Amino acid sequence: MPRQAAEAVLAYAREQGIDFLDDARYDDESGTAPLRSGFSEVLFGELFRAVGWPRQEAIVSNKLWWEFWPGQTAVQELEQSLERMGFDQLDLLYSSTLPDAVPVPSAIEQIATTLATGRVRAWGVVNWSAHALHDGVREAAALGIPPPCAAQLPYSLVRTDWVEDPALTDALAAADASLVPSASLAGGALTGKYAAARAPGRLSAELDHPRLRSGLRVGAALGPLAERLHTTPATLAVAFTLCHPRTASTLVGATAPRQLDDAIAAVALAGRLTESDLDDLRALAAGAAQSEPSEA
């Protein structure tokens, strides 16, 4: 998206009271970025400063990918990310899914070293299994550091299995960690807009792909429910994730300010959804889960 449009989205987010921003280092797949890896962090920092956002007014997270381990330590990965962002500190440092070469005890030891630098306020996990999360909590206690405060996991009306698995529920409770749902709109399929013929959007060329069938079906089915509740399918889909008792904040992406309006409206909507409304949403989610095996 054009830089001017990105600035407009970020400025609007700040105006509307959003204060949790999730960044990450990505590799360049286009061959056009000035850096092979991490230009996403450079852009984030530039945009953040361009809209005049005071650093102390935002909670900013980033991730450890362990991509160059063991040649690059966690502290070195952190320092390079901060340098590219132009930041002195992260509020939240996530550990992504651990590669086979990085056992949980080694990861927690490395995370402890990042906390000791004073450049990270808290840590969390991204896409960790229940078993790994339990092990991480135990290793953190042994090292005398806090357990992970948050777990970023895919959670939506078409993907409830990971978060609602009893083992994961127990692991989150053991850590007393909050949930940060990702992929809440299933890549845009749950916005409902693709129910219309030839609807424009980034998924338009992939509508026949098997991986999108459940999301598109649920997105279309959300229409009548959203109309009854005087809202949009996108707002209703995000509100569903906010109703999980451990949700701290749901991740959303936007290419225009109006898309943020749908997400922001979900906060109020989640507070007024009745148990009957949630039962209707859970029925859609259950239907999506049952259809997955035959479509995999």
Side-chain angles (χ1 to χ4, degrees):
M1 60 190 293
R3 184 179 293 245
Q4 185 176 6
E7 287 186 17
V9 169
L10 200 57
Y12 189 72
R14 181 189 174 202
E15 291 168 6
Q16 297 304 309
I18 292 174
D19 59 6
F20 178 29
L21 306 174
D22 185 43
D23 190 26
R25 172 178 61 84
Y26 290 110
D27 294 337
D28 173 39
E29 297 179 356
S30 68
T32 61
L35 299 176
R36 187 192 70 78
S37 184
F39 191 55
S40 51
E41 296 170 317
V42 175
L43 287 174
F44 175 84
E46 290 177 351
L47 292 167
F48 186 86
R49 288 181 288 276
V51 300
W53 204 320
R55 177 64 184 89
Q56 69 274 14
E57 293 182 7
I59 299 168
V60 179
S61 64
N62 206 325
K63 300 176 179 68
L64 291 172
W65 293 113
W66 310 100
E67 187 177 4
F68 305 113
W69 169 270
Q72 182 187 64
T73 66
V75 168
Q76 289 171 333
E77 185 175 355
L78 165 67
E79 293 290 347
Q80 290 185 12
S81 287
L82 287 171
E83 182 179 357
R84 285 186 291 265
M85 297 169 75
F87 281 23
D88 294 323
Q89 186 186 58
L90 286 177
D91 300 289
L92 174 61
L93 178 66
Y94 286 115
S95 168
S96 65
T97 308
L98 296 177
D100 292 339
V102 186
V104 171
S106 296
I108 303 305
E109 288 177 3
Q110 287 291 301
I111 288 166
T113 65
T114 68
L115 295 173
T117 66
R119 305 264 266 167
V120 174
R121 293 175 55 198
W123 73 283
V125 298
V126 175
N127 296 349
W128 279 31
S129 68
H131 180 74
L133 185 51
H134 270 301
D135 285 352
V137 171
R138 184 175 59 252
E139 294 293 335
L143 289 177
I145 66 170
C149 69
Q152 184 184 129
L153 298 165
Y155 186 54
S156 73
L157 285 167
V158 292
R159 184 72 195 273
T160 61
D161 58 327
W162 197 330
V163 167
E164 295 183 359
D165 178 73
L168 196 282
T169 298
D170 289 345
L172 290 174
D176 194 22
S178 294
L179 172 67
V180 181
S182 62
S184 59
L185 292 176
L190 294 178
T191 61
K193 68 179 182 179
Y194 295 103
R198 295 184 296 277
R202 65 175 179 164
L203 298 181
S204 297
E206 306 177 68
L207 297 182
D208 293 330
H209 198 291
R211 69 178 174 81
L212 295 177
R213 287 177 188 164
S214 292
L216 293 172
R217 186 182 301 119
V218 173
L222 277 173
L225 286 175
E227 186 174 355
R228 188 184 78 201
L229 292 166
H230 308 290
T231 188
T232 67
T235 296
L236 189 53
V238 174
F240 170 77
T241 69
L242 292 171
C243 288
H244 190 284
R246 284 202 173 271
T247 295
S249 182
T250 293
L251 293 183
V252 295
T255 57
R258 66 180 182 278
Q259 293 175 344
L260 286 178
D261 288 334
D262 280 340
I264 293 166
V267 177
L269 177 62
R272 64 182 178 88
L273 288 177
T274 66
E275 196 57 39
S276 176
D277 297 329
L278 290 172
D279 285 342
D280 290 339
L281 292 170
R282 293 185 191 112
L284 286 178
Q290 291 171 3
S291 70
E292 280 302 307
S294 63
E295 295 177 352

